[in-house]
Amino acid sequence: MSAWLQAAVVLVVLAAVHVPLGDLLACAFTSSRHLRAEALLYRAMRVDPDADQRWSTYAGCVLAFSGMSILLLYVLLRVQAHLPFALGHHGMPPAQAWNTAVSFVTNTSWQSYAGEGALGHLTQLAGITVHSFLSAAVGLTVALTLIRGLTRSRTDRVGNFWCDLVRGVVRVLLPLSAVFAVVLLAGGAVQNLHGFHTVPTLAGHTQAVPGGPVASQEAIKLMSGDGGGFYNVNSAHPFENPKAWTNVVEIILMLLIPSAIPRMYGRMVRDTRQGWLLLGVVAVLFTASLALLSWTEAAHHGTVPQAVGASLEGKETRFGPAGTALFANASTASADGAVNGSHDSLTAYGGGVTLVNMLLGEVSPGGVGSGLYGLVSLALVAVFLGGLMIGRTPEYLGKQIRASEIRLVALITLATPVAVLVGTGLTLGLPTPRRSFLNTGAHGLSEGLYAFTSAGNTNGSAFAGLSANTDFYNVGLALAMLVGRYLTMILVIALAGSLARQSPASVTRGTLPTHTPMFAALTAAVAILVVAITYLPALALGPLAEGGT
Amino acid sequence: MSTTTMAQAPAPAPNPPAAPRRVSGGLLDPKMLWRSTPDALRKLDPRTLWHNPVMFIVEVGAVFTTVLAIRDESAFAWLIVVWLWLTVLFANLAEAVAEGRGKAQADALRRTKTDTVARRLASWQPGQTVDPALVEPVPAPRLAQGDLVVVEAGEFIPGDGDVVEGIASVDESAITGESAPVIRESGGDRSSVTGGTRVLSDQIIVRITQKPGESFIDRMIALVEGANRQKTPNEIALNILLSALTIIFLLAVATLQPLAIFSKAQLPGVPDTEALNGDGVTGIVMVSLLVCLIPTTIGALLSAIGIAGMDRLVQRNVLAMSGRAVEAAGDVNTLLLDKTGTITIGNREARAFIPVGGTSEQRLASAAQLSSLADETPEGRSIVVHAKSTYGLRERGPGELLHARFVPFTAQTRMSGVDLDAYGGDPARLVRKGAASAVINWARELGGVIPADLGETVDGISASGGTPLVVAESVEGTARVLGVIQLKDIVKSGMRERFDEMRRMGIRTVMITGDNPLTARSIAEEAGVDDFLAEATPEDKMALIKREQAGGKLVAMTGDGTNDAPALAQADVGVAMNTGTSAAKEAGNMVDLDSNPTKLIEIVEIGKQLLITRGALTTFSIANDIAKYFAIIPAMFAAIYPGLDKLNIMRLHSPESAILSAVIFNALVIVALIPLALRGVRYTPSSAAAMLRRNLYIYGVGGLVIPFIGIKLIDLVIQFIPGAR
């Protein structure tokens, strides 16, 4: 499929489902009825789904639930040798199990292991797949608290975590992933519990390939923003991503829920224009990075790329450079991090674009839920600057952005850069981590920068070219994921609490309009400016230095 | 304006010219910069500078580079050191200049504080004459709240208080700058007197209401000096954002070092440069980068902007009791404006004489004039003027009215007029004018017939916003209603345009009046206000404020009377008139020394301008960073990665000149923006969207572009300096 056609299909499909899917999402979380299945779950968990929680309780629930999840997944990974369908795999070593557990619970799915070489089918199903659902739903819950903070007033309640979590799984993620698992199955993705098959390769060698419950994991892997592949090569593997058209489906899946969330937001804040504004910001950032990435991939000045029309090394020939560029851009702009090619093999500037996509905080459109709160935080910074420039205490949707709110917004903006910069600094500064680089010079530096960028922003894609299964990376990257995910989440929920307590200010002609193209431009400019001023020195020594030579 | 004292402060601008106005403050006198330098040097003390985190970091950086330059001397290092110190100094200078203007005003005020000896009354009952035996001399500072003092012509009033007996003319020029004396009397809304002002005539007894050392003048001095200036809510919020940015840059710069060391080690053949060696980026260059990136421009000017904002109010003779109130003024959604004095000129004027029952106009005019000859109220005088200008009736001389007895207006009769005895052929005649119901009753009692068209005429005048005064006469016992005088409020010129501006800014104006709803509606329409509150009592006013606030609106109002005090306290911005009672002045959070209620509109504009200036300079400051990166990054790393020289789009002369140019630009831009910080950015009332667009283009896009030009220009000059070559 030609580059333009692929991109056009993706954008047309996303545009077509934007309104209905967004409306469905809004309904799912605003209806007052509980489904029978949900009611049973609530009874089993002994929670009252209608009991609203304070922000601190809600944040406590997020942390406790995630902490328990990490613990359970860690135990599962450690003891898998003693469980059925282990395919003869041993338990994972402690540091790697810790990294993997944190990685999947934080919705990052950075993998320092090779799927088919380390995990049995039960671990894939009960561990990896389950947490794809749960981690995505947790991301949604946090976005919901922020929406409630903006719409409620004079209250200290921001919703019920358990209710939001269950609804996210039961009403949104399960039905959608069931449908798309079947679609991928039809495309040729495998779904079984077979062990290894030994197959002769074209080169005359033999290769052992396991079957497995791939299609069921593949759909939620892409849709949840998780992105951890069943196989090591992720979506470049024919069992995961068999055809050119499944490649397009996979790209759509990564963007499906995140790009519909602005509509849900508009509906829930009872001003759909606000949703359109966020979508506009997303569209501008996404198209700009896609154009840049496609252009750098096609216009590489090396001899071979010139001869064949693009740089092909490290790319899957079934998808071609355009299919790879589109996939890579979707994967890093959403928080998914699935790959269908090696980002290490993108051109220097192309790799830089995927880095910038993540460094933006993954807001174009970002992860399930996390994209929204990232976007709203940026909008709040824009509101603060814009509000001052029209001579008023800054207001967003009738809520004033005062010292207590701007403090939280500032900390949200700070959390991820701390994880990324400190991690990268240590990687380059300490002697051991540097040995993991498979390249020298600027490209080696990019490998280190990419690892912590991907972890701190809970993307999970790998640049490749980095031997990440060392204690430093297993422990350090997990810490970066925890900071990037939970510190941000706690601050966002606290912000929701602070906003919910306010009484609404009235909206007049003197209020900064937050639905105009002007404001969209300001928000996008703030996003780019924040990335530029924070990361330009690091980017200069990595992709910019490499691309300049 | 820099050294202007209160006494010379300009009178408030008369009502608005039609052209778009612009709020402006005092200009910057270059001499002021020089005079403030000692203060600026004093502020280098880290214990002072610590309150400004951004500039504190610059100072730490300056100290650090000084040490480095001493250890490892080079012309380049010393140039950087000098300009880093200048950066801190320029920031201090901005604050010192802003404070200096306040100090000049405070000194002028202090001179008015004289050592007065008060004459305290040991015991006194209202109505009693002052017994000299019971008067004791007490130094003014020792007066307590509740003490009674007697003040006579020529004496200074020893402290703030209320007149409890007597009436006097008082010279208040010391605080208001207005040389015409004002009347202060017991009871009513003109009872408050201020310590330090002088009684010109008569004798009054004053009850002291201030606590010792907390007089109005003391507070004024503290305010204009900014002695206990506290950061305002918005300033705190902005400081948090700036601190967060500073932390980000500290992190970015600190973590750059291992990256730089790694990169350098990968290319062992590349020679060391002034910017980069085996130990990474040199300390001098690292500090330069950090200082260029952190928001020094806004960090340096932030407090000056706040001080200058308060100062702009003082120049308009408004004292804000807190910076918070000034900020709130910018956020106001609803303005409550008293009709009289704010929207209309104080008095009503006669506009027309409308005869009823077949009376001729001339006759009505004559009777109306006759009944008003002795009426010294502005309304009465306007009737005489109207009779003369429209009907050619001259005023009558004293001799002509020998047989006339004037009947003054009383609250009981609600009429005034004149009784003429029979004289020289003319029959005895009684003429009355007054409220319709009162005059109709009077005519009925004297057996008069009420013309059928009277009611219609009276209602018509009321409905059109006028006040009807009915004129009747009784000749030889037969009463007859002659007609109606139409009195009308005169709306100040230019008010409609001002209210239109307010509307564009999203501010709703509400007119408060004691008139009936019909009259109120008509004036409201004529003046162009959005809403009105008729027959308003203080309770109604209070209820209106609470209702608006419950809807998330911020309310501003003016007031002077004691019964305004609760509403003034409840309003988010309460401007008390200086002529008002102490209770009102105590309750409001601003005092207007000119007692000009229209000034509320200017106060709102100054509040907005304050926030806009902060926002604009913050945006400018952050946008500047991009150009500085383009100057410094190639300068640091082009030696190891020649490809990065592509970023040197300004084609700067050398790595040293590039870094130095960025540092010099960063310092000079502070000085260049001091006048803007003191004056405030240009502000023309317009919609939020239009204002955002304009300021984003000027300060956002301008902030991106200007440093590219500025750094290039500086580079062109300094490339000839040794150390930058």
Side-chain angles (χ1 to χ4, degrees):
Chain A
M1 246 189 276
S2 84
W4 287 111
L5 188 61
Q6 283 197 29
V9 168
V10 169
L11 296 182
V12 166
V13 171
L14 290 177
V17 300
H18 177 73
V19 170
L21 184 57
D23 289 351
L24 276 175
L25 287 171
C27 278
F29 293 106
T30 47
S31 98
S32 53
R33 283 189 48 238
H34 302 293
L35 303 178
R36 190 169 302 158
E38 291 170 345
L40 283 172
L41 275 170
Y42 297 136
R43 211 171 303 149
M45 292 191 295
R46 297 199 188 158
V47 295
D48 174 4
D50 297 314
D52 271 1
Q53 297 166 323
R54 288 194 184 86
W55 79 263
S56 47
T57 316
Y58 201 107
C61 286
V62 169
L63 288 184
F65 179 75
S66 303
M68 279 307 291
S69 299
I70 292 174
L71 186 66
L72 286 175
L73 184 53
Y74 177 81
V75 171
L76 184 64
L77 291 166
R78 296 281 291 134
V79 304
Q80 66 160 343
H82 311 290
L83 299 173
F85 301 108
L87 307 184
H89 293 306
H90 299 292
M92 218 179 238
Q96 194 177 27
W98 152 254
N99 179 277
T100 307
V102 169
S103 172
F104 279 90
V105 173
T106 54
N107 197 251
T108 314
S109 66
W110 171 270
Q111 293 164 296
S112 68
Y113 62 92
E116 63 272 41
L119 299 185
H121 291 334
L122 185 71
T123 322
Q124 294 272 28
L125 268 176
I128 305 304
T129 309
V130 165
H131 286 292
S132 292
F133 281 99
L134 296 180
S135 62
V138 169
L140 264 176
T141 63
V142 177
L144 290 172
T145 62
L146 186 56
I147 295 176
R148 295 195 187 104
L150 287 166
T151 49
R152 293 183 177 182
S153 50
R154 287 179 281 254
T155 174
D156 56 356
R157 309 284 155 154
V158 294
N160 183 292
F161 171 72
W162 306 107
C163 179
D164 292 342
L165 181 77
V166 166
R167 285 183 175 195
V169 174
V170 172
R171 299 187 180 189
V172 181
L173 297 169
L174 270 176
L176 281 174
S177 66
V179 170
F180 284 101
V182 173
V183 171
L184 289 173
L185 210 52
V190 301
Q191 179 77 7
N192 56 44
L193 291 173
H194 295 165
F196 285 92
H197 293 274
T198 306
V199 288
T201 63
L202 286 175
H205 303 288
T206 56
Q207 192 180 356
V209 187
V214 178
S216 61
Q217 186 180 326
E218 191 68 9
I220 190 66
K221 162 194 125 178
L222 296 159
M223 218 159 19
S224 65
D226 187 328
F230 193 94
Y231 298 101
N232 188 32
V233 291
N234 208 309
S235 286
H237 198 289
F239 286 3
E240 286 198 23
N241 190 6
K243 301 203 170 71
W245 72 260
T246 56
N247 192 47
V248 175
V249 171
E250 298 211 342
I251 294 168
I252 291 172
L253 284 185
M254 285 194 278
L255 300 169
L256 186 66
I257 300 178
S259 71
I261 281 183
R263 172 69 187 184
M264 171 189 99
Y265 176 74
R267 282 290 296 266
M268 289 180 76
V269 301
R270 290 181 287 277
D271 182 358
T272 47
R273 295 174 310 177
Q274 305 296 338
W276 290 115
L277 176 112
L278 295 188
L279 186 70
V281 176
V282 168
V284 166
L285 294 175
F286 184 85
T287 353
S289 63
L290 177 63
L292 261 178
L293 186 54
S294 306
W295 175 71
T296 59
E297 290 316 295
H300 195 272
H301 54 70
T303 321
V304 178
Q306 292 276 306
V308 297
S311 53
L312 278 169
E313 193 267 329
K315 295 191 175 89
E316 176 64 33
T317 44
R318 282 174 299 145
F319 312 132
T324 310
L326 184 58
F327 199 106
N329 198 57
S331 170
T332 49
S334 74
D336 196 66
V339 290
N340 72 349
S342 174
H343 288 189
D344 191 30
S345 301
L346 295 173
T347 58
Y349 289 142
V353 173
T354 59
L355 269 170
V356 168
N357 274 336
M358 291 188 280
L359 292 173
L360 279 168
E362 285 165 1
V363 292
S364 57
V368 177
S370 61
L372 181 73
Y373 57 71
L375 268 174
V376 172
S377 305
L378 284 172
L380 291 180
V381 176
V383 157
F384 190 78
L385 292 177
L388 286 183
M389 274 193 286
I390 60 156
R392 291 177 62 92
T393 298
E395 281 166 26
Y396 183 64
L397 303 183
K399 300 287 181 161
Q400 290 202 319
I401 311 305
R402 300 166 306 194
S404 52
E405 287 80 22
I406 203 70
R407 182 176 295 123
L408 291 165
V409 171
L411 289 172
I412 291 168
T413 321
L414 264 173
T416 312
V418 169
V420 173
L421 287 174
V422 171
T424 310
L426 288 175
T427 306
L428 275 302
L430 299 173
T432 326
R434 287 204 297 253
R435 281 189 220 123
S436 291
F437 298 165
L438 302 185
N439 290 82
T440 55
H443 197 76
L445 192 143
S446 296
E447 285 165 1
L449 176 62
Y450 197 103
F452 276 92
T453 300
S454 176
N457 289 288
T458 69
N459 182 276
S461 66
F463 204 46
L466 179 81
S467 313
N469 188 18
T470 68
D471 285 352
F472 173 83
Y473 288 109
N474 276 332
V475 174
L477 290 172
L479 289 176
M481 294 177 220
L482 289 175
V483 170
R485 180 79 167 174
Y486 296 115
L487 187 55
T488 309
M489 281 188 164
I490 295 167
L491 293 167
V492 169
I493 302 172
L495 178 64
S498 172
L499 291 168
R501 271 194 299 278
Q502 284 190 28
S503 23
S506 75
V507 175
T508 66
R509 284 186 66 179
T511 314
L512 178 74
T514 53
H515 57 265
T516 57
M518 189 58 143
F519 186 74
L522 180 61
T523 309
V526 164
I528 293 167
L529 204 64
V530 167
V531 174
I533 61 183
T534 312
Y535 298 110
L536 213 64
L539 290 172
L541 289 177
L544 293 182
E546 190 192 350
T549 48
Chain B
M1 236 350 265
S2 52
T3 55
T4 309
T5 63
M6 294 295 301
Q8 293 161 329
N15 269 323
R21 282 159 314 103
R22 120 161 231 207
V23 177
S24 64
L27 294 170
L28 178 68
D29 180 354
K31 264 183 282 176
M32 211 50 203
L33 281 176
W34 179 243
R35 229 175 300 148
S36 303
T37 307
D39 273 334
L41 286 169
R42 222 168 291 136
K43 284 174 189 285
L44 286 176
D45 184 344
R47 285 166 300 180
T48 319
L49 209 57
W50 181 79
H51 295 285
N52 184 343
V54 177
M55 293 323 292
F56 181 71
I57 292 211
V58 180
E59 185 171 44
V60 171
V63 171
F64 179 60
T65 48
T66 310
V67 173
L68 289 179
I70 291 170
R71 238 182 38 192
D72 208 0
E73 264 187 79
S74 75
F76 170 70
W78 279 114
L79 281 170
I80 294 282
V81 166
V82 167
W83 279 98
L84 289 183
W85 280 111
L86 282 176
T87 309
V88 189
L89 198 63
F90 290 160
N92 291 347
L93 200 57
E95 195 178 279
V97 168
E99 285 174 353
R101 307 209 293 183
K103 284 214 179 78
Q105 282 157 345
D107 289 343
L109 277 174
R110 270 208 195 88
R111 281 196 291 275
T112 69
K113 277 186 72 172
T114 40
D115 295 327
T116 319
V117 175
R119 295 194 292 142
R120 184 163 69 184
L121 294 173
S123 83
W124 177 81
Q125 292 299 317
Q128 219 177 320
T129 49
V130 174
D131 179 356
L134 291 174
V135 172
E136 49 179 1
V138 178
R142 286 179 44 199
L143 285 174
Q145 264 179 310
D147 280 355
L148 293 165
V149 293
V150 58
V151 192
E152 275 178 22
E155 291 179 338
F156 281 97
I157 296 171
D160 301 348
D162 285 322
V163 180
V164 289
E165 188 166 283
I167 176 168
S169 62
V170 179
D171 171 13
E172 293 196 340
S173 60
I175 52 166
T176 63
E178 177 59 57
S179 55
V182 292
I183 301 297
R184 292 285 177 260
E185 61 185 336
S186 61
D189 290 343
R190 292 190 298 174
S191 63
S192 112
V193 287
T194 311
T197 56
R198 202 157 62 97
V199 173
L200 294 177
S201 69
D202 305 287
Q203 170 188 304
I204 46 176
I205 294 171
V206 176
R207 174 179 285 117
I208 299 296
T209 53
Q210 68 164 86
K211 290 192 189 115
E214 289 179 24
S215 72
F216 191 67
I217 289 202
D218 289 328
R219 278 195 291 167
M220 261 179 88
I221 292 173
L223 275 168
V224 295
E225 257 188 342
N228 37 15
R229 201 177 78 85
Q230 286 177 330
K231 287 199 174 115
T232 54
N234 176 266
E235 208 177 339
I236 293 170
L238 185 52
N239 249 317
I240 291 170
L241 189 72
L242 296 182
S243 303
L245 279 171
T246 308
I247 294 169
I248 287 188
F249 289 125
L250 271 173
L251 259 175
V253 170
T255 55
L256 178 60
Q257 196 63 297
L259 273 65
I261 296 171
F262 171 84
S263 305
K264 183 75 170 57
Q266 298 281 310
L267 299 153
V270 178
D272 290 353
T273 65
E274 186 92 56
L276 186 67
N277 56 36
D279 298 330
V281 179
T282 58
I284 298 265
V285 173
M286 208 54 140
V287 173
S288 306
L289 175 64
L290 178 66
V291 169
C292 283
L293 295 181
I294 59 176
T296 46
T297 313
I298 180 67
L301 298 172
L302 190 54
S303 60
I305 294 169
I307 299 168
M310 293 285 269
D311 192 49
R312 276 200 292 284
L313 277 180
V314 173
Q315 284 171 23
R316 280 167 182 72
N317 268 359
V318 177
L319 288 187
M321 296 307 164
S322 70
R324 184 185 287 263
V326 185
E327 262 174 23
D331 285 344
V332 160
N333 303 98
T334 309
L335 281 186
L336 304 190
L337 299 166
D338 276 325
K339 183 199 79 177
T340 310
T342 311
I343 296 170
T344 61
I345 58 171
N347 312 306
R348 284 176 280 212
E349 280 181 10
R351 278 286 187 78
F353 301 137
I354 303 164
V356 294
T359 315
S360 75
E361 264 186 63
Q362 202 66 26
R363 176 143 188 215
L364 170 63
S366 166
Q369 185 222 33
L370 201 56
S371 67
S372 305
L373 282 175
D375 185 349
E376 283 303 316
T377 64
E379 285 88 352
R381 280 200 299 272
S382 80
I383 293 171
V384 177
V385 169
H386 188 72
K388 185 175 178 186
S389 61
T390 313
Y391 298 94
L393 297 175
R394 60 178 180 78
E395 285 191 50
R396 298 169 210 213
E400 291 175 72
L401 293 167
L402 279 176
H403 304 275
R405 280 188 311 284
F406 291 103
V407 181
F409 177 87
T410 68
Q412 283 76 41
T413 60
R414 297 194 292 147
M415 295 185 297
S416 62
V418 62
D419 294 350
L420 297 166
D421 295 337
Y423 176 73
D426 287 340
R429 190 171 162 214
L430 312 177
V431 185
R432 291 289 182 275
K433 73 161 199 294
S437 56
V439 176
I440 289 169
N441 278 341
W442 177 81
R444 277 219 181 95
E445 274 168 25
L446 292 176
V449 181
I450 309 305
D453 52 349
L454 177 66
E456 205 178 306
T457 311
V458 166
D459 289 348
I461 291 173
S462 293
S464 69
T467 307
L469 287 182
V470 176
V471 181
E473 66 171 8
S474 163
V475 182
E476 292 177 326
T478 315
R480 174 169 175 211
V481 175
L482 299 174
V484 189
I485 303 170
Q486 182 191 14
L487 290 178
K488 198 145 196 259
D489 273 304
I490 309 299
V491 173
K492 288 182 176 176
S493 67
M495 289 317 276
R496 178 172 277 279
E497 289 74 22
R498 277 213 139 170
F499 294 140
D500 287 345
E501 263 174 19
M502 293 277 132
R503 204 168 299 114
R504 278 200 295 279
M505 290 155 59
I507 296 173
R508 211 166 69 92
T509 43
V510 181
M511 182 182 83
I512 309 287
T513 170
D515 293 339
N516 66 56
L518 275 179
T519 312
R521 175 183 307 280
S522 155
I523 297 170
E525 274 166 15
E526 190 182 339
V529 293
D530 295 310
D531 203 354
F532 63 89
L533 182 66
E535 290 172 348
T537 62
E539 293 75 34
D540 292 341
K541 224 167 163 175
M542 188 72 172
L544 175 66
I545 293 175
K546 285 190 171 158
R547 202 161 56 238
E548 291 282 321
Q549 286 174 336
K553 297 201 165 87
L554 264 68
V555 182
M557 68 168 283
T558 58
D560 52 6
T562 301
N563 55 17
D564 284 332
L568 278 172
Q570 177 73 32
D572 301 282
V573 177
V575 183
M577 300 293 105
N578 192 44
T579 52
T581 59
S582 334
K585 280 152 89 173
E586 203 59 49
N589 46 18
M590 292 192 195
V591 176
D592 178 15
L593 300 174
D594 297 332
S595 305
N596 170 10
T598 322
K599 217 183 266 173
L600 194 49
I601 298 171
E602 276 176 70
I603 293 173
V604 168
E605 292 180 347
I606 289 173
K608 283 193 179 296
Q609 197 190 30
L610 177 67
L611 294 184
I612 295 174
T613 309
R614 278 191 199 137
L617 291 185
T618 306
T619 308
F620 183 82
S621 191
I622 298 172
N624 272 348
D625 281 352
I626 298 296
K628 293 171 190 165
Y629 267 132
F630 274 91
I632 296 182
I633 285 182
M636 288 196 297
F637 299 125
I640 46 172
Y641 294 123
L644 285 180
D645 204 45
K646 280 182 197 162
L647 291 180
N648 183 10
I649 53 174
M650 288 175 269
R651 308 308 327 157
L652 301 178
H653 176 70
S654 68
E656 288 79 14
S657 78
I659 294 165
L660 195 53
S661 301
V663 171
I664 293 176
F665 175 82
N666 195 48
L668 288 183
V669 81
I670 296 174
V671 183
L673 290 173
I674 290 178
L676 184 69
L678 297 186
R679 195 183 63 220
V681 305
R682 201 160 84 83
Y683 170 72
T684 31
S686 52
S687 74
M691 220 180 317
L692 178 67
R693 191 175 320 118
R694 182 177 172 280
N695 288 327
L696 263 185
Y697 281 135
I698 297 181
Y699 298 98
V701 180
L704 279 176
V705 175
I706 288 172
F708 279 103
I709 302 166
I711 291 174
K712 177 69 189 169
L713 288 177
I714 294 170
D715 183 73
L716 285 176
V717 175
I718 64 163
Q719 54 181 291
F720 303 107
I721 299 177
R725 219 173 275 164

